[in-house]
Amino acid sequence: MSTLEKTQLQLGYIPLLDCIALLWAKQQGFFEEVGLDVTLVKEASWASLRDRLAFGLLDAAHCLSAMLPAAAVGADQIGIALQTPLILSKNRAFISLSQKLTHQLAIQENDNAQATAQKVTSYIEADHSLSLAHVFKHSIHHYCLREWLALADSKIAQTLKFKALPPPYMVEALDNHVIDGFCVGEPWNTQGELLGLSKIVCSSQDIIPNVADKVLAVTQEWAEQHPQTLIALTAAIIKAQKELSDLKDFSPVLKLLVDFGIVRFHCSEEVHVDKYYMIQNIVKNLVKENAAPQPEDFHWLFEQMQKWDELQIDQAQITSLGAQCINLEAYEQAKQLYSS
């Protein structure tokens, strides 16, 4: 194995199910196997994580995929280029509304995404106020909310203002009547349901394409200065992804999620059984088969920025900038390292 340019790394994450490959790689010693001493750093919000990554306080991080195109065009007000060698999850968000609101709107279990969007937009058109939250402006969660509302009313989809809240605060904000609903990754939708506060009304998989949601990200400059370190880091996480997808006994993974304060409710093969198996299924299928980042994922994100954020960009720029967001060479070499 080539000499690593750096061995002591700060790796940032937000408490969500799709950070599990980072936690598992650390616990199982996969980082040590490739010569890395990794410190996991829990960040308070996506904004703090992005800033600390961009300015070098983190070496790498569990990131929202849309942060990369936002950085590429300076829409994040920082403009420090980011890139990814690895997808951590694909299209794994849900939209939840308060149980009070779902009752008022007569939302039923078998309502599809368009039906729920129609009931919500009709409620807004009747001069009722509605406050929805996403995790960050540059996220599939933001675009998922827009596209969901657009199934019923494109004007409301374009003009409704959203709040931005860190994932762990969504349920608390709902409980305090700060918001009426949210789009977030798991386990926070399930947390809200088990507390009797919210109800999942649709999945992002019913609304948007199967695009990258979270990725392993570094700055472009960091990748250029630490190519062998990036390959080693990526290989360790690929090994964790593979092991997680093949695990027969899920209990150690659930314990890790509980220990890190990500899952904060009791579930098992005996209690809240359906939630237990749902979480297990999500973890085992965060990325199916190919975790290599694809240009098409970022093309879609740029197109969403055109549509909803009024980004002025042509197709040639989308193609060029989309390619700059990914580091396939690091992925391919990491795959070889993992397999050797």
Side-chain angles (χ1 to χ4, degrees):
M1 187 171 137
S2 301
T3 303
L4 302 179
E5 301 85 6
K6 185 175 185 179
T7 57
Q8 293 189 323
L9 304 182
Q10 301 286 311
L11 181 56
Y13 73 95
I14 293 287
L16 289 156
L17 290 189
D18 53 21
C19 76
I20 186 61
L22 280 60
L23 309 187
W24 193 251
K26 173 71 173 179
Q27 174 165 292
Q28 298 299 100
F30 298 159
F31 293 132
E32 292 177 7
E33 287 177 6
V34 294
L36 296 176
D37 177 10
V38 170
T39 299
L40 297 172
V41 182
K42 182 171 74 172
E43 291 293 338
S45 69
W46 287 117
S48 70
L49 181 145
R50 177 204 59 189
D51 293 352
R52 285 165 54 80
L53 178 65
F55 294 116
L57 298 173
L58 296 172
D59 294 286
H62 159 237
C63 264
L64 295 161
S65 58
M67 286 179 170
L68 279 63
V73 297
D76 62 353
Q77 309 302 313
I78 298 175
I80 294 175
L82 305 175
Q83 61 178 219
T84 178
L86 187 66
I87 292 175
L88 298 176
S89 67
K90 282 195 168 188
N91 199 4
R92 282 288 177 179
F94 295 89
I95 297 173
S96 292
L97 299 178
S98 74
Q99 290 198 13
K100 179 181 178 181
L101 183 60
T102 58
H103 178 74
Q104 283 181 291
L105 301 183
I107 290 176
Q108 306 298 315
E109 290 283 349
N110 60 351
D111 281 349
N112 62 22
Q114 184 168 4
T116 57
Q118 187 62 64
K119 289 176 180 181
V120 167
T121 54
S122 295
Y123 179 79
I124 295 170
E125 286 170 341
D127 288 331
H128 295 289
S129 63
L130 185 74
S131 179
L132 298 176
H134 54 57
V135 300
F136 197 65
K137 180 179 180 181
H138 302 122
S139 66
I140 71 162
H141 311 73
H142 172 204
Y143 303 128
C144 182
L145 283 175
R146 298 281 180 210
E147 293 289 343
W148 173 58
L149 295 171
L151 294 173
D153 190 307
S154 58
K155 183 178 179 182
I156 287 177
Q158 183 68 261
T159 58
L160 191 66
K161 303 292 186 185
F162 299 140
K163 289 183 169 67
L165 294 170
Y169 298 138
M170 291 291 188
V171 176
E172 181 181 346
L174 194 72
D175 191 21
N176 291 330
H177 309 292
V178 175
I179 58 174
D180 303 298
F182 48 75
C183 183
V184 71
E186 284 288 59
W188 303 109
N189 299 278
T190 297
Q191 172 91 4
E193 285 201 344
L194 291 180
L195 289 174
L197 295 169
S198 61
K199 187 173 183 61
I200 296 172
V201 297
C202 58
S203 165
S204 61
Q205 295 184 351
D206 300 324
I207 302 166
I208 63 176
N210 192 35
V211 296
D213 179 357
K214 308 302 189 317
V215 298
L216 174 69
V218 296
T219 66
Q220 185 174 308
E221 181 182 18
W222 195 96
E224 291 168 354
Q225 292 176 351
H226 308 90
Q228 297 305 319
T229 302
L230 182 58
I231 291 165
L233 177 66
T234 305
I237 298 172
I238 288 174
K239 184 172 182 178
Q241 288 179 323
K242 176 63 175 170
E243 192 164 287
L244 287 165
S245 68
D246 293 340
L247 269 182
K248 298 296 186 286
D249 180 9
F250 186 68
S251 55
V253 180
L254 182 62
K255 183 179 185 305
L256 188 62
L257 291 167
V258 171
D259 289 347
F260 274 79
I262 296 170
V263 171
R264 302 180 184 180
F265 48 85
H266 183 43
C267 68
S268 68
E269 292 175 296
E270 289 82 30
V271 178
H272 294 311
V273 178
D274 57 338
K275 303 301 186 186
Y276 174 83
Y277 283 108
M278 183 190 76
I279 290 172
Q280 175 178 283
N281 182 61
I282 289 175
V283 167
K284 294 181 75 169
N285 293 281
L286 285 167
V287 179
K288 293 182 180 178
E289 298 174 9
N290 186 9
Q294 302 298 319
E296 294 76 17
D297 292 337
F298 297 97
H299 296 172
W300 182 83
L301 290 164
F302 278 117
E303 288 162 3
Q304 288 290 295
M305 292 172 72
Q306 279 183 310
K307 182 175 182 179
W308 302 112
D309 303 333
E310 299 181 348
L311 175 68
Q312 300 299 314
I313 188 172
D314 60 35
Q315 193 57 48
Q317 289 174 298
I318 287 176
T319 301
S320 173
L321 292 172
Q324 292 174 34
C325 290
I326 66 177
N327 190 330
L328 278 178
E329 182 179 355
Y331 174 81
E332 294 298 340
Q333 293 191 45
K335 282 273 286 186
Q336 291 178 13
L337 178 59
Y338 159 68
S339 301
S340 62

